[in-house]
Amino acid sequence: MRPGDHRTHLVENQPPPLAGADLLACDPALTGAVAREGAEEALPALRQLAALVTSAEAREHARLANTHSPVLHTHDRYGHRVDEVEFHPSWHWLVRTSVGWGLHGAPWVAEPGTGAHVARAAGFYLMSQLEPGHGCPISMTYAAVPALRHDPQLAARYEAGLRSTTYEFGLAEPSTKAGLLAGMSMTEKQGGSDVRAGTTTATVTSDGTYRLVGHKWFTSAPMNDLFLTLAQAPAGLTCFVLPRVLPDGTRNAIRLQRLKDKLGNRSNASAEIEYTGATGWRLGDEGRGVQTIIEMVSMTRLDCVLGSAALTRAALTEAAHHVAHRGAFGTRLADAPLMQTVIADLALESEAATALAIRLAGAVDREERTLLRLALPAAKYLVCKRAPAVVAEALECLGGNGYVEDSGLPLLYREAPLNSIWEGSGSVTALDVLRAVTREPESVDAVFAEIEAASGRDTWFDRGVRELRTELRGREERRARRLAEMLALCLQGSLLLRHAPDEVARAFVASRFLPDGPWRTSGTLPAEAQADALVARVTP
């Protein structure tokens, strides 16, 4: 430097870019669960996907897809209805990648117990860490296949396209396309989660199809090829399949009224739509709409758990990476006892969420329907509820750097509440837990068999299980949230006590099951927790 020069932009004490980090090496909770649930052979392929997820190219596509939100075009220049949504090319890259990896309907062709759904769940978890918004059409397509199987003819018409690993965007008759995506359209402005309050009507025609008229309040990914929807038929609420293009090549009467201006999930389009005499094919019996579509709801609930576990893990990765390379007050942040305890607590939350999510995927793979009936809504309640708090704590670990868009944490923070709302907000999900406990006692037995597999390993955990049994006897609606939380917490504790390293399991139980816990802010672990080991386990 010459005399008088002033250097003001020497960049020091900043972490290096995360691009190229090994996501599987710092996530033993995921790799262990995948192997345990029967998909160990998928780990080499998952390593390839994890490398793609952290590549600079993939991260740039994720950024661009959220910078350039979808745009609705209702009419062309001449005034004709087109009802098209325009997406940035990076959105198509993301969806094409997930479809190409079979993260949508592909697993349904495999035999039960082969690990296909576990491998798919792990892949969905990895891609959701990259960009969560595009996971919506992927998840709905995955969930549509078992629902479609209620009608062999409709399944024969659409299932091969829904399982195809080819992504073909655009409006065309489904049988002419190399690959299909499915959506669902249930809620209405007067009902929300109370789908039985819907006013959309379905009138049978002479050829056996139905004409649907009504307004749907939330239809995500409206450019998908077909939709499962609910409408009031003569015998009551009924499920229907509506393709966007009819077999004769004409457009179905599905009108896109507007796109929602959402808090997060900005890369994905969510629309209000109108059926103005749209043609639908009945799926299942008239009056049995909820029972027919419930399998789709269950599978999207699984992806809510996976998606929230992924957001938790993505936020943890950013925070752990930052403190590993950032110094303050004369020490590396990762070595500062209080910061170490905060990261360790976030790591426990992530490990428990991941272990439970992959266990549920294993239950889908092995068709453990009785376990899923209760464990799935309980897990959705707790894991999705915890995600916003975890992401907020992770953001704070970066301080002001975490509050700016470049860090990626604001995107995760805006996304974090979504999964708790989708497919039933917190109270709706908790009431479903209570309904399962009351009406399907065999589901309680299945969940307790899972929980009590860890009996005798920790006295505080055993005490928590006894408290859960006491809570179950009450079955009070006003305590449904407490019941859902206790069920999920005991499932997580059981999994970690049986399968996680001792320092993970003991710290989780000590911070979640002792009489004076769990504390609701991170970084309040008991003194005996081995925070340094927990941090090292999850740092990229």
Side-chain angles (χ1 to χ4, degrees), residues 199-205 208-212 230-240 282 284-289:
T199 59
T200 297
T201 60
T203 305
V204 68
T205 67
T209 61
Y210 288 71
R211 293 290 179 267
L212 275 70
L230 296 175
Q232 301 288 354
L237 194 65
T238 304
C239 185
F240 297 92
R282 179 166 53 83
D285 296 332
E286 277 197 14
R288 301 277 298 172

Side-chain angles (χ1 to χ4, degrees), residues 271-394:
E272 286 179 42
I273 67 172
E274 284 188 352
Y275 301 136
T276 56
T279 300
W281 280 260
R282 179 166 53 83
L283 182 62
D285 296 332
E286 277 197 14
R288 301 277 298 172
V290 173
Q291 292 82 355
T292 302
I293 209 169
I294 198 67
E295 286 191 66
M296 189 173 188
V297 172
S298 293
M299 291 302 96
T300 50
R301 280 183 173 179
L302 170 63
D303 282 357
C304 287
V305 179
L306 287 163
S308 288
L311 288 172
T312 296
R313 178 63 240 200
L316 168 63
T317 297
E318 294 287 350
H321 176 70
H322 181 84
V323 304
H325 297 277
R326 178 85 161 178
F329 308 111
T331 188
R332 189 178 70 129
L333 283 177
D335 297 325
L338 186 54
M339 179 61 78
Q340 204 174 70
T341 307
V342 171
I343 299 294
D345 212 347
L346 299 181
L348 291 174
E349 198 73 45
S350 175
E351 183 128 4
T354 300
L356 182 52
I358 300 301
R359 172 66 184 93
L360 294 174
V364 171
D365 200 72
R366 294 184 293 275
E367 298 185 344
E368 299 175 64
R369 292 187 176 88
T370 306
L371 174 71
L372 287 166
R373 175 61 190 94
L374 179 56
L376 194 50
K380 179 190 182 298
Y381 176 82
L382 182 62
V383 174
C384 297
K385 279 287 182 192
R386 291 294 300 146
V390 172
V391 174
E393 286 285 1

Side-chain angles (χ1 to χ4, degrees), residues 198-493:
T199 59
T200 297
T201 60
T203 305
V204 68
T205 67
S206 58
D207 63 3
T209 61
Y210 288 71
R211 293 290 179 267
L212 275 70
V213 176
H215 187 150
K216 293 294 182 179
W217 193 236
F218 256 102
T219 298
S220 200
M223 298 308 292
N224 285 0
D225 299 286
L226 60 137
F227 297 90
L228 274 64
T229 194
L230 296 175
Q232 301 288 354
L237 194 65
T238 304
C239 185
F240 297 92
V241 177
L242 277 67
R244 291 191 67 225
V245 179
L246 298 171
D248 64 3
T250 61
R251 292 186 178 214
N252 210 347
I254 303 172
R255 308 300 186 212
L256 308 188
Q257 297 302 99
R258 63 171 175 167
L259 299 186
K260 298 292 193 180
D261 187 8
K262 298 172 292 184
L263 167 67
N265 202 244
R266 306 288 293 188
S267 66
N268 179 43
S270 298
E272 286 179 42
I273 67 172
E274 284 188 352
Y275 301 136
T276 56
T279 300
W281 280 260
R282 179 166 53 83
L283 182 62
D285 296 332
E286 277 197 14
R288 301 277 298 172
V290 173
Q291 292 82 355
T292 302
I293 209 169
I294 198 67
E295 286 191 66
M296 189 173 188
V297 172
S298 293
M299 291 302 96
T300 50
R301 280 183 173 179
L302 170 63
D303 282 357
C304 287
V305 179
L306 287 163
S308 288
L311 288 172
T312 296
R313 178 63 240 200
L316 168 63
T317 297
E318 294 287 350
H321 176 70
H322 181 84
V323 304
H325 297 277
R326 178 85 161 178
F329 308 111
T331 188
R332 189 178 70 129
L333 283 177
D335 297 325
L338 186 54
M339 179 61 78
Q340 204 174 70
T341 307
V342 171
I343 299 294
D345 212 347
L346 299 181
L348 291 174
E349 198 73 45
S350 175
E351 183 128 4
T354 300
L356 182 52
I358 300 301
R359 172 66 184 93
L360 294 174
V364 171
D365 200 72
R366 294 184 293 275
E367 298 185 344
E368 299 175 64
R369 292 187 176 88
T370 306
L371 174 71
L372 287 166
R373 175 61 190 94
L374 179 56
L376 194 50
K380 179 190 182 298
Y381 176 82
L382 182 62
V383 174
C384 297
K385 279 287 182 192
R386 291 294 300 146
V390 172
V391 174
E393 286 285 1
L395 184 154
E396 192 174 321
C397 291
L398 277 67
N401 290 334
Y403 203 69
V404 298
E405 291 291 338
D406 287 352
S407 71
L409 270 300
L411 185 152
L412 297 180
Y413 188 59
R414 289 191 297 270
E415 191 77 19
L418 173 62
N419 288 318
S420 189
I421 296 170
W422 194 26
E423 305 316 341
S425 55
S427 291
V428 172
T429 306
L431 289 172
D432 193 40
V433 167
L434 190 60
R435 187 160 47 248
V437 167
T438 303
R439 298 180 183 176
E440 301 175 57
E442 65 277 8
S443 67
V444 178
D445 295 337
V447 166
F448 266 96
E450 181 75 20
I451 290 172
E452 292 183 335
S455 291
R457 295 173 186 258
D458 185 279
T459 55
W460 290 114
F461 172 76
D462 291 343
R463 177 181 177 276
V465 175
R466 291 193 298 271
E467 289 185 349
L468 172 60
R469 285 197 177 277
T470 300
E471 190 69 32
L472 275 167
R473 287 195 288 271
R475 302 184 184 183
E476 297 180 61
E477 181 175 319
R478 66 183 180 87
R479 294 171 67 90
R481 284 180 170 232
R482 177 177 173 83
L483 173 60
E485 179 174 321
M486 292 175 70
L487 274 164
L489 202 60
C490 285
L491 282 166
Q492 290 179 330

Side-chain angles (χ1 to χ4, degrees), residues 34-57:
V34 167
R36 188 165 63 245
E37 297 298 330
E40 188 169 13
E41 292 181 356
L43 286 173
L46 289 170
R47 288 190 178 93
Q48 294 177 30
L49 180 58
L52 175 65
V53 163
T54 58
S55 69
E57 177 192 16

